[in-house]
Amino acid sequence: MGIFRFLNLSPVQHSVALGTVAAMILSGTYGSRWVCANEETTPYQLFVDIHADDGGTGTASDPLPDLAAAKRTIRQRRDAGAWPVDGAVVVNVAPGVYAADSSLRFGSADGGTESAPVVYRSTQPGAATLQGGVTLKASDFRPVRKALDDPATTGMNPGVWDRVLVCDLSDRGMEFPKVPKSYRAVPPAPWLYVDGRPMELARWPNHDDGDGWARFHEAIDTGLGNPDSEDPAKRQLRPGSFRFDDPRPERWDIKRGVWLCGYWTHDWSDEVIQIAQYDPAEKAIKLAAPHHYGIKGKTWGNSQRRFFAVNVLSELDAPGEWYLDRQEQRLFLDPPTGFADASITLATLTEPILKIEQAKHLRFEGFTIECGHGDAIDVRDGHNVQIAGCTIRNMGAGGVRVTGSENQVRSCDLYQLGTFGISLSGGDRKQLTMAGNVADNNHVHHYGLFQRTYAAGISAGGCGQTITNNLIHDAPHNAIRYGGNEHRIERNEIHHVVLETGDAGAFYTGRDWTSQGNVLRHNYIHDLGVGNTDHVNTMAIYLDDCDSGDTLEGNIMVRAGRAVMMGGGRDNKVINNLVIDCPIGIHLDSRGMTWSQWNNPEHPSWMLEEKALALDYQSPIWAQRYPSLAKIMADSPKEPLHNRFARNVFVDCDRRVCQFDSNVMKLLGKLDVADNVAVSSTGSSASTVKIADITGFSNQDAKIDASGDDKVDAYLKQQNASGWMGIDGWEPIPVDKIGLRKDVYRKTLP
């Protein structure tokens, strides 16, 4: 039986650019240190089986009962000298559900060495499940009709009495925390999953009722303080209120508790806030806690605001909805089809299921990790910790959180997550030391179920992370969010994200001069937003609030709103990109010159020079790597200077190919704009793209008559031609290398 060792990244020296890592991945040498080894060369093995009794020796015929026992056995045998510390160990885990009521912890004593790692693997990929919840049975539920005299059912819609079930949890020793007046991200535990799907907390409107949102137009009290008031109390935020014309709240038991999940002012800031009181005569809803941006404050986007009500017993009216009476510890469920034979899990564990701290050369392969109410895996200060071929799903919080160096998350499927998918951080920004952490060949989708904004599919922070060949889709907000330095984000496919938010990008970074040296290359970003081709509040790549020093090269952006949005940044390179059917091709504004927040102590997140000084941005290492940044304060720092737009092709950008404000137009001489082509595929005059005043752009009619996806294929098939679209030096985009690929862990593609 072969044991694959394919995941180790060669040590990245501090002086080596991450471009070398990317080249290794492309050439296939990346990860080659892990070679296939027969079991004869791996003599130290343990076997785990959920059906085993305590006290086993760990052999195939006398296995251990769980991973914790295997970890203890490895430590004991090493301490006793029976196994060498530098001996490779493989723990073979048989199929079954391994439930955890606390984190399974691994530390510095539990890893291996570079040549001899410790590997935990599922003997059948995906069949060994680490679960952070309590298993329930269908027989634990009884018809609610038999409990109508129970005060817990007061207010329930009589129309569902014949089908709603109730489960009494009071004798299980559980503690259900009180729901706070407001929260963002993960609600208090627990959460219910049936047959591998998260159930919906009883809500109104239901998902299938229009777009699932209720809307209001009038704020009675924004809740915003008056910064000019002499009374300190009046300068503070307070709970706001609004008028809601629909009489639906009259059905709700406000005293029992009703919470509203809403985008209260901005379409990029969600929060759940409890109702304090409802006045039916005035149709006024007063909230129990303030929102940071107020209720219906000034925003860029729709003037109407939206919300839905959650945890409302009277709204328990659709199969798959549930309600938890925390005080009486009763769980009500409108059961989905097939419930009698369903697997039922109540996710209760709020800690990470796997918690790995300061471990080295440790690997987990082929597990399913599910049904916790925190993160699935937390790797802190790890080195060469590898998560490979795992399925991570149905988590209240995120998937895999990684800090440290040379760690990898590879060929995993992550979905139905309350917050993020994968988070990478590490390295030393001040010294520009690369972390070398990698997220490669992962499929991340249907995330951000609870935290609907700024919970990205994959995020990168610190210095020197690599994000390659991932497929990310179906989420309310960002796909990839990054900040810091020297990240490589390449060959990823992104689609159907930013589905319910505005002023948001599939790729997002911002508000930092020093977040430089990041490369976004050969990514395919398409079909963003809600399918409205006129929607331009959605961006493929969003460099927000003076973000500077990034390279956007060879990306394909299709039906993505604004393809590239640059909010006043400098020293960015936008080269060799193909943009198709995006209403706006490139947006560049001068907000650094016009917005009062710039370097204003009253807006600390905007203190751009202060952030640069904290990183010693004029030190020799920074000045050599980012020479333009080193002299920024003597070079009109508020102006969006030294940006380069070259060799880009814009096809059918029917509003504006370039949306430059008046200040930017005056600064064109300080930008590098050359060899860009705007194409009209209809064969009509291309003057409608409005680029006549921008040197470096030319118009042409297309020679290809195609639409939809055929249009993308048609243009890409011709890109190898010399002087393609009239651009000398165009570098063909390697479309066949974008997205997921088959490997030893990923046998099939979605």
Side-chain angles (χ1 to χ4, degrees):
M1 183 182 296
I3 298 172
F4 290 96
R5 303 194 182 133
F6 187 64
L7 289 179
N8 194 20
L9 174 64
S10 300
V12 180
Q13 302 299 324
H14 294 167
S15 61
V16 178
L18 270 183
T20 303
V21 178
M24 292 168 65
I25 295 173
L26 280 173
S27 67
T29 59
Y30 175 83
S32 61
R33 183 164 299 173
W34 290 103
V35 297
C36 291
N38 292 326
E39 292 187 3
E40 290 78 9
T41 63
T42 310
Y44 305 108
Q45 296 200 55
L46 291 174
F47 293 83
V48 172
D49 192 320
I50 189 63
H51 303 293
D53 296 327
D54 292 336
T57 60
T59 64
S61 59
D62 189 21
L64 300 165
D66 53 39
L67 276 67
K71 182 187 73 169
R72 289 193 301 270
T73 300
I74 295 170
R75 285 191 180 188
Q76 290 166 357
R77 294 184 183 180
R78 284 175 167 178
D79 291 344
W83 285 5
V85 174
D86 59 353
V89 179
V90 173
V91 179
N92 304 280
V93 184
V97 176
Y98 297 82
D101 57 9
S102 63
S103 293
L104 181 58
R105 296 175 180 269
F106 294 83
S108 58
D110 300 311
T113 65
E114 186 173 2
S115 60
V118 173
V119 179
Y120 289 78
R121 63 170 188 172
S122 173
T123 58
Q124 296 180 25
T129 298
L130 308 182
Q131 189 180 93
V134 175
T135 298
L136 303 176
K137 302 187 296 292
S139 59
D140 294 329
F141 291 77
R142 59 192 175 90
V144 76
R145 287 182 300 174
K146 297 180 180 179
L148 292 182
D149 57 344
D150 191 325
T153 63
T154 302
M156 184 181 293
N157 182 353
V160 300
W161 284 351
D162 287 339
R163 67 174 192 255
V164 170
L165 305 175
V166 60
C167 178
D168 189 346
L169 301 171
S170 60
D171 60 351
R172 293 176 180 263
M174 298 181 182
E175 294 184 4
F176 299 136
K178 184 179 179 180
V179 181
K181 292 181 179 179
S182 66
Y183 63 89
R184 186 167 180 269
V186 185
W191 204 265
L192 182 66
Y193 299 88
V194 177
D195 274 345
R197 295 187 299 111
M199 298 293 97
E200 185 76 58
L201 202 59
R203 58 171 282 170
W204 180 85
N206 290 335
H207 276 297
D208 58 359
D209 184 1
D211 64 358
W213 295 91
R215 289 174 170 80
F216 67 93
H217 298 268
E218 179 185 353
I220 298 171
D221 180 0
T222 66
L224 294 172
N226 180 1
D228 299 324
S229 175
E230 296 181 358
D231 184 349
K234 294 183 179 180
R235 294 198 293 266
Q236 303 300 312
L237 289 170
R238 61 187 178 275
S241 60
F242 61 94
R243 199 174 315 281
F244 184 56
D245 292 332
D246 195 301
R248 192 76 176 201
E250 295 181 22
R251 303 185 182 189
W252 302 340
D253 187 345
I254 305 300
K255 292 182 180 179
R256 186 191 292 268
V258 176
W259 284 259
L260 306 180
C261 175
Y263 290 97
W264 300 108
T265 281
H266 300 296
D267 284 334
W268 41 262
S269 178
D270 61 309
E271 189 170 10
V272 180
I273 307 177
Q274 187 177 6
I275 296 178
Q277 62 186 53
Y278 173 67
D279 184 340
E282 296 295 326
K283 298 182 179 179
I285 294 177
K286 181 176 177 57
L287 300 177
H291 178 59
H292 180 74
Y293 298 106
I295 305 302
K296 204 177 180 298
K298 185 178 180 181
T299 185
W300 179 38
N302 294 323
S303 61
Q304 61 184 1
R305 296 291 86 207
R306 55 197 161 126
F307 68 89
F308 60 84
V310 293
N311 200 47
V312 188
L313 182 59
S314 61
E315 300 295 352
L316 182 62
D317 60 1
E321 286 193 340
W322 66 293
Y323 171 85
L324 180 62
D325 186 321
R326 292 175 179 268
Q327 182 174 351
E328 299 296 330
Q329 295 193 331
R330 289 178 174 86
L331 189 159
F332 297 86
L333 172 67
D334 192 340
T337 302
F339 181 73
D341 300 314
S343 63
I344 309 164
T345 306
L346 194 62
T348 55
L349 181 61
T350 56
E351 302 173 338
I353 294 178
L354 285 180
K355 191 169 182 62
I356 303 165
E357 190 167 5
Q358 296 183 335
K360 298 181 179 180
H361 311 295
L362 180 65
R363 171 177 161 194
F364 293 86
E365 175 190 305
F367 290 93
T368 293
I369 304 174
E370 66 175 6
C371 294
H373 205 63
D375 295 344
I377 303 175
D378 187 358
V379 179
R380 297 289 178 95
D381 299 322
H383 178 77
N384 192 23
V385 174
Q386 304 171 26
I387 312 299
C390 291
T391 296
I392 298 168
R393 63 190 182 194
N394 293 332
M395 299 299 302
V400 185
R401 189 186 303 272
V402 173
T403 67
S405 60
E406 299 184 43
N407 304 292
Q408 294 181 43
V409 183
R410 185 177 215 177
S411 302
C412 293
D413 292 334
L414 304 98
Y415 58 95
Q416 291 169 189
L417 305 172
T419 59
F420 66 92
I422 300 169
S423 172
L424 304 178
S425 186
D428 185 336
R429 291 189 65 197
K430 200 167 187 178
Q431 299 300 320
L432 295 181
T433 302
M434 308 292 196
N437 297 313
V438 175
D440 177 59
N441 204 35
N442 301 289
H443 187 189
V444 186
H445 59 101
H446 294 90
Y447 57 91
L449 303 184
F450 296 143
Q451 182 180 331
R452 309 176 89 88
T453 56
Y454 298 104
I458 304 179
S459 63
C463 183
Q465 323 302 332
T466 298
I467 301 173
T468 50
N469 288 100
N470 301 284
L471 172 60
I472 307 175
H473 60 91
D474 283 277
H477 202 222
N478 311 132
I480 295 178
R481 185 184 178 200
Y482 67 96
N485 301 81
E486 304 301 318
H487 306 312
R488 294 294 183 270
I489 306 175
E490 301 179 336
R491 303 184 306 281
N492 303 283
E493 180 179 0
I494 313 294
H495 67 86
H496 290 92
V497 297
V498 201
L499 290 178
E500 68 175 42
T501 49
D503 190 13
F507 286 69
Y508 181 84
T509 188
R511 203 167 291 183
D512 194 344
W513 278 342
T514 68
S515 179
Q516 301 216 358
N518 303 301
V519 176
L520 281 60
R521 179 186 288 121
H522 299 157
N523 300 286
Y524 179 29
I525 311 160
H526 61 100
D527 297 291
L528 306 184
V530 294
N532 182 355
T533 58
D534 294 329
H535 188 56
V536 289
N537 206 11
T538 294
M539 299 76 172
I541 301 175
Y542 195 168
L543 310 184
D544 200 8
D545 292 347
C546 299
D547 178 78
S548 301
D550 285 353
T551 297
L552 283 53
E553 180 180 1
N555 301 288
I556 305 169
M557 292 166 271
V558 181
R559 298 181 294 274
R562 298 173 196 243
V564 177
M565 173 80 170
M566 297 171 55
R570 305 161 59 101
D571 299 296
N572 294 301
K573 299 176 183 177
V574 183
I575 53 178
N576 212 97
N577 298 285
L578 174 60
V579 178
I580 298 178
D581 287 341
C582 295
I584 296 174
I586 296 177
H587 171 113
L588 174 63
D589 61 46
S590 58
R591 67 187 62 184
M593 303 169 65
T594 59
W595 288 16
S596 62
Q597 292 98 322
W598 194 93
N599 268 4
N600 185 340
E602 294 183 3
H603 300 273
S605 68
W606 267 92
M607 298 296 288
L608 303 180
E609 183 183 6
E610 185 177 273
K611 292 178 182 178
L613 289 169
L615 287 170
D616 197 10
Y617 76 106
Q618 293 178 317
S619 67
I621 188 172
W622 273 69
Q624 181 180 7
R625 181 68 182 90
Y626 313 123
S628 181
L629 176 64
K631 58 187 180 183
I632 189 171
M633 294 309 295
D635 186 25
S636 303
K638 295 185 177 183
E639 297 179 354
L641 304 182
H642 315 306
N643 292 301
R644 184 183 183 202
F645 306 105
R647 303 198 316 272
N648 299 289
V649 175
F650 301 90
V651 180
D652 295 333
C653 295
D654 57 5
R655 291 199 180 185
R656 297 294 294 268
V657 169
C658 294
Q659 189 173 59
F660 294 169
D661 70 17
S662 59
N663 287 322
V664 172
M665 294 299 292
K666 295 174 184 177
L667 296 169
L668 284 178
K670 296 182 179 182
L671 305 178
D672 180 0
V673 184
D675 300 318
N676 301 283
V677 174
V679 178
S680 171
S681 70
T682 62
S684 61
S685 172
S687 63
T688 56
V689 297
K690 302 178 182 178
I691 60 172
D693 297 331
I694 301 177
T695 301
F697 279 83
S698 61
N699 294 332
Q700 65 174 264
D701 292 337
K703 300 178 181 178
I704 300 170
D705 184 13
S707 62
D709 292 333
D710 291 337
K711 183 188 295 186
V712 181
D713 292 339
Y715 279 89
L716 290 174
K717 285 177 181 177
Q718 292 201 1
Q719 67 171 338
N720 291 316
S722 176
W724 184 66
M725 291 293 166
I727 297 177
D728 291 328
W730 172 269
E731 297 181 5
I733 301 170
V735 183
D736 59 334
K737 291 182 170 61
I738 296 175
L740 298 177
R741 65 183 185 279
K742 293 181 181 179
D743 65 9
V744 67
Y745 303 109
R746 186 175 295 286
K747 301 294 187 181
T748 60
L749 299 178

